[in-house]
Amino acid sequence: MGRGEATVVSRDLGKGELPLLSPEMVGAFYTSPTDRSAEQKALLEVSDTLVAELREADVLIFGVPIYNFGVPGALKAYFDLVARVGLTFQYTDQGPRGLLKNKRAYVVITSGGTGLGSTADFASGHVRQFLNFLGIAAVEFINASQLLFGAEQVLAKANAQVEALAVATA
Ligand SMILES: Cc1cc2nc3c(=O)[nH]c(=O)nc-3n(C[C@H](O)[C@H](O)[C@H](O)COP(=O)(O)O)c2cc1C
């Protein structure tokens, strides 16, 4: 698909609108679709919508500020809602297997002082592990970390990285 033909779906997780996992929701995840009660179906509505959106996407772009050395709670809430047994991963004799195929992810990491890939960065490893778990192996990080030490320079480098990626994938 040419870049001009792409359909872009945006989600501002920072608005904090996603529900947190509840025991009832997890119970609904693990109830077979045909056995789910009306309440369970209602509980799964947001998760179902997010999963459908994710399965539809060819390319995923995440903008992730590092908060307290990890991912923001809103992104964790999103991860918890899209990790769906039978839909995005399944258990096998060899352990869990991701069910999302042929997708690429780009993850822009921003931070104040914590460097991408440093020992205090518990965000990027989490994001990579989670996306790999769902079957998304092609995960590329764009480094916009350490904005406190010269935002202009950091952003110029990050933009150059984006340009290089755009050329490489054109
Ligand atoms: C609640 C909160 C926690 C934060 N924790 C960290 C942190 O652990 N490490 C870090 O480098 N920056 C931290 N930051 C800074 C953010 O990563 C930074 O604000 C974000 O990347 C966006 O950059 P900007 O504020 O220049 O727009 C934190 C910011 C907030 C609001």
Side-chain angles (χ1 to χ4, degrees):
M1 184 192 287
R3 265 197 272 175
E5 300 153 38
T7 301
V8 178
V9 177
S10 302
R11 284 222 164 241
D12 184 355
L13 302 182
K15 285 184 181 159
E17 290 167 347
L18 294 185
L20 296 179
L21 269 191
S22 62
E24 291 76 17
M25 235 190 273
V26 177
F29 285 175
Y30 285 88
T31 303
S32 116
T34 48
D35 292 340
R36 279 180 197 140
S37 67
E39 292 83 48
Q40 285 181 313
K41 284 180 190 155
L43 266 182
L44 292 186
E45 250 174 48
V46 176
S47 168
D48 284 345
T49 302
L50 294 175
V51 167
E53 197 173 275
L54 188 55
R55 290 168 102 184
E56 191 71 16
D58 301 309
V59 178
L60 308 166
I61 300 174
F62 293 90
V64 183
I66 296 180
Y67 277 5
N68 299 314
F69 310 105
V71 299
L75 183 59
K76 179 62 166 62
Y78 174 83
F79 285 171
D80 288 343
L81 292 169
V82 297
R84 287 282 301 274
V85 66
L87 292 180
T88 56
F89 76 95
Q90 69 184 27
Y91 297 110
T92 73
D93 292 346
Q94 284 89 43
R97 191 168 71 88
L99 296 178
L100 299 182
K101 297 292 167 214
N102 304 316
K103 298 185 193 302
R104 279 180 288 137
Y106 297 96
V107 184
V108 183
I109 298 278
T110 68
S111 78
T114 305
L116 173 67
S118 69
T119 52
D121 165 20
F122 293 89
S124 61
H126 183 170
V127 174
R128 184 189 293 283
Q129 170 66 29
F130 182 74
L131 296 176
N132 288 175
F133 171 68
L134 297 188
I136 305 165
V139 182
E140 190 95 41
F141 286 92
I142 289 118
N143 188 359
S145 69
Q146 298 189 303
L147 289 162
L148 279 179
F149 306 136
E152 242 174 71
Q153 213 185 337
V154 167
L155 292 177
K157 272 197 199 163
N159 281 325
Q161 204 188 336
V162 170
E163 279 306 315
L165 283 168
V167 170
T169 54

